[in-house]
Amino acid sequence: MNHENHDNSGALTPMAPSRPAGNVLGDLARNLAAGLGSLLLRVRAPGAVSAGVLAWVVLEVAGLLTSVGFEAARTGSDGRIDPGALPGQLFHLPWLLLCAWLVTRRQHRSDALMQAVVVLAALWIWIDVLWNLVALLPAAFWERLGDNAQWLWWAPLAWGIVASTVTLCRLQGATGFRRAGVLSAVLLVLVLPQLAVGPQSPLWLAAEPRQDPAEAARWQQARSESVIYRQPSLLTEALARLEPGQPGKTDLFLLAVAGHGAQDVFLREVEKVERLFAERFGTGGRSVVLANNPGTVLTRPLATVSALERSLQIIAQRMDDDEDVLFVFLTSHGAENHLFDLSLWPWELEQLTPQRLAGLLNAAGIRNRVILVSACYSGGFVLPLAGPDTLVMAAARADRSSHGCSHEADWTFFGRAFFDEALRETTSFTDAFERARTAVATREAAEGLEPSEPQIAVGETIRARLADLAAGWQTSPGSSPAQAASAADAETSRPLCDGEPAQQTCTEPANRR
């Protein structure tokens, strides 16, 4: 058993006889216990280490194995150790030794140096354990923390600096200005170099997921040169099939865009909306679908800004400016800076902004517009697109995420609530929006998700066009006269809503009583 004593400077010094070199595991347990005690600022813990070069080596090996274990827990046990990451993982060794030497150099004793080295190595193993435990916290927990997340993330490092300084001061009996010197050594020599080089590559490499052969073939097709030659004709053929509106009747046109190519949910949404609108609103000959998906690159036009521009130009030629209405449905991922994601690996595509979309619509001369943007932060599209002739709907606030965009899903949360549920019960787009907003809020609350708070802006002039549409659907399949009459009444009596980036405000129209 080791005994401790205080020298004349007040430092803790080990007084134990030398231990057998073969007692490696016992020394490891003893040193880890001393490291934990030092982390908890226990007074006698630093002097309880079993010092020596072998003890240090064993501690470093234990630290590496601990890191590998946590990496495997995060990424999966199916993987391998990457020897190439070992130099980065051992980058701290010379700095730890230099820090210990600077603190103990006045004593001119190798045992004092190794004692400081071993206790620091043991202490920082526990700091790494804390950091890894923090990293294992679920994503929902970090989302709830919001801006406070950074404080939790950096807390283990801050405590490591405090514990290292206190431990070294106790070992050396440092007082006064010497404590400031110990703190400087810990900060400038032990911590700063590692912060400067940043995170190191993990030793554990997770195995690459095995790709389904059919999925691999889809992506091979997406990057084939056939896409270059096939796409122009696909767009031309799709636009050539567009039928003009019927004179004297308000007709609905559909332009549906699936932006993000790596998740099939967006393709499924636009295809389902295409069928729904053809059956319920008679857009069978007046719809265009642009989709980024590896499985459709040789059968459907890609969703690019250029294809969107050309589609709007041809749709405008088929529409009657005064009578007809265009429904634009955009579904994809969205960014905090309100970029709508248009992407398909390996092609680099221009991203769509609210201002760019507004410019394309204006340049095409399309007046009567219904626009639904289903994406995170899509509320940022509302104000740039709003106007007297426009109904704009967004699946989320400008500063909120929407939900449900998993690869396996058939619909996003808002897409299902608006199209697959509400529009099967009503032919009023504004009424469908209100129903969808309620349904989405209920589902988000049930699943503990942050409310997306969908947004809407209804132009005064578009109301008359939407009422004309509803009246025209009185005799269409799938819509009873009572439903259509109710929808027409809903369009003319609903409050005018102006979407804001983070909220919406509504005022009553002048003719409402």
Side-chain angles (χ1 to χ4, degrees):
M1 177 177 179
N2 279 1
H3 298 278
E4 298 164 355
N5 198 2
H6 292 268
D7 62 15
N8 293 333
S9 66
L12 291 170
T13 57
M15 301 296 292
S18 59
R19 297 173 60 81
N23 193 15
V24 174
L25 294 180
D27 286 346
L28 174 61
R30 181 184 183 88
N31 289 336
L32 288 175
L36 180 59
S38 299
L39 179 72
L40 300 175
L41 304 184
R42 292 178 178 171
V43 175
R44 295 184 176 275
V49 296
S50 179
V53 174
L54 179 60
W56 183 24
V57 171
V58 172
L59 274 174
E60 294 297 340
V61 171
L64 291 175
L65 293 176
T66 302
S67 295
V68 167
F70 275 108
E71 286 293 335
R74 279 195 293 268
T75 62
S77 58
D78 187 11
R80 63 179 179 85
I81 291 178
D82 178 20
L86 194 58
Q89 292 290 327
L90 299 179
F91 173 78
H92 68 282
L93 294 183
W95 302 103
L96 188 150
L97 184 61
L98 178 58
C99 177
W101 177 80
L102 288 173
V103 172
T104 63
R105 71 188 189 282
R106 290 188 178 185
Q107 296 188 22
H108 304 291
R109 286 172 34 217
S110 61
D111 61 330
L113 171 63
M114 291 311 302
Q115 186 182 33
V117 167
V118 169
V119 75
L120 282 178
L123 190 155
W124 280 90
I125 285 178
W126 290 107
I127 295 296
D128 286 340
V129 168
L130 285 178
W131 232 329
N132 279 290
L133 290 174
V134 168
L136 285 174
L137 292 171
F141 175 82
W142 292 103
E143 289 180 4
R144 286 195 295 270
L145 283 181
D147 295 337
N148 294 321
Q150 59 179 331
W151 298 107
L152 177 60
W153 179 250
W154 290 108
L157 175 63
W159 188 251
I161 293 171
V162 171
S164 298
T165 303
V166 171
T167 295
L168 291 176
C169 286
R170 285 173 175 169
L171 279 177
Q172 300 304 305
T175 58
F177 286 110
R178 287 188 62 194
R179 292 178 178 174
V182 172
L183 176 60
S184 299
V186 170
L187 285 173
L188 300 179
V189 179
L190 183 61
V191 175
L192 187 60
Q194 296 179 71
L195 289 179
V197 299
Q200 300 298 316
S201 300
L203 269 177
W204 184 256
L205 281 182
E208 292 290 333
R210 294 173 183 157
Q211 193 172 30
D212 178 71
E215 187 70 9
R218 287 206 317 161
W219 285 105
Q220 177 63 35
Q221 175 180 270
R223 62 175 182 263
S224 69
E225 67 176 27
S226 302
V227 176
I228 301 173
Y229 299 100
R230 182 67 178 136
Q231 275 298 313
S233 59
L234 285 174
L235 181 60
T236 300
E237 292 166 6
L239 297 178
R241 291 193 294 268
L242 274 175
E243 301 173 1
Q246 304 173 54
K249 178 179 179 294
T250 299
D251 289 307
L252 183 67
F253 286 72
L254 172 68
L255 175 58
V257 178
H260 182 74
Q263 288 183 301
D264 287 351
V265 61
F266 304 117
L267 175 65
R268 294 189 190 106
E269 279 203 317
V270 294
E271 290 182 337
K272 289 175 182 293
V273 169
E274 181 185 30
R275 289 194 295 270
L276 173 66
F277 271 48
E279 297 166 0
R280 191 150 175 78
F281 305 120
T283 60
R286 295 186 298 276
S287 64
V288 177
V289 173
L290 307 177
N292 291 332
N293 189 278
T296 62
V297 291
L298 301 181
T299 57
R300 283 195 183 276
L302 292 180
T304 67
V305 172
S306 298
L308 184 60
E309 180 178 27
R310 183 59 180 160
S311 298
L312 290 172
Q313 291 171 351
I314 300 302
I315 290 172
Q317 294 174 13
R318 303 290 194 272
M319 291 177 62
D320 184 302
D321 290 347
D322 296 323
E323 293 178 345
D324 298 335
V325 177
L326 172 62
F327 192 111
V328 180
F329 172 47
L330 305 169
T331 179
S332 185
H333 290 301
E336 292 184 64
N337 60 353
H338 307 138
L339 287 179
F340 180 84
D341 181 18
L342 296 176
S343 61
L344 180 66
W345 183 87
W347 311 102
E348 291 192 14
L349 306 179
E350 178 185 347
Q351 302 298 286
L352 182 65
T353 66
Q355 294 75 19
R356 185 83 163 102
L357 178 58
L360 295 177
L361 287 163
N362 292 336
I366 297 175
R367 287 177 47 198
N368 303 315
R369 317 162 183 171
V370 176
I371 304 170
L372 194 160
V373 185
S374 179
C376 293
Y377 313 106
S378 51
F381 277 72
V382 174
L383 284 181
L385 293 170
D389 299 304
T390 305
L391 163 60
V392 189
M393 296 169 284
R397 244 168 55 173
D399 58 349
R400 292 284 178 88
S401 297
S402 57
H403 305 288
C405 51
S406 67
H407 181 64
E408 299 79 12
D410 288 332
W411 296 92
T412 60
F413 281 16
F414 190 83
R416 179 181 296 281
F418 184 85
F419 294 106
D420 196 42
E421 296 173 358
L423 277 187
R424 295 191 186 278
E425 300 295 329
T426 179
T427 54
S428 165
F429 297 137
T430 52
D431 184 39
F433 175 85
E434 296 299 336
R435 297 185 187 203
R437 177 158 55 184
T438 301
V440 167
T442 301
R443 183 171 181 181
E444 288 169 341
E447 298 189 20
L449 299 171
E450 181 183 43
S452 53
E453 298 187 17
Q455 301 290 294
I456 187 172
V458 188
E460 187 60 37
T461 308
I462 193 66
R463 294 175 181 280
R465 298 285 73 79
L466 296 179
D468 290 342
L469 275 174
W473 289 327
Q474 287 186 7
T475 57
S476 63
S479 178
S480 69
Q483 286 177 318
S486 176
D489 182 66
E491 299 296 359
T492 56
S493 63
R494 188 166 301 282
L496 174 65
C497 298
D498 293 321
E500 299 291 344
Q503 62 182 2
Q504 69 171 24
T505 56
C506 300
T507 57
E508 298 292 330
N511 61 350
R512 181 161 184 186
R513 295 177 183 267

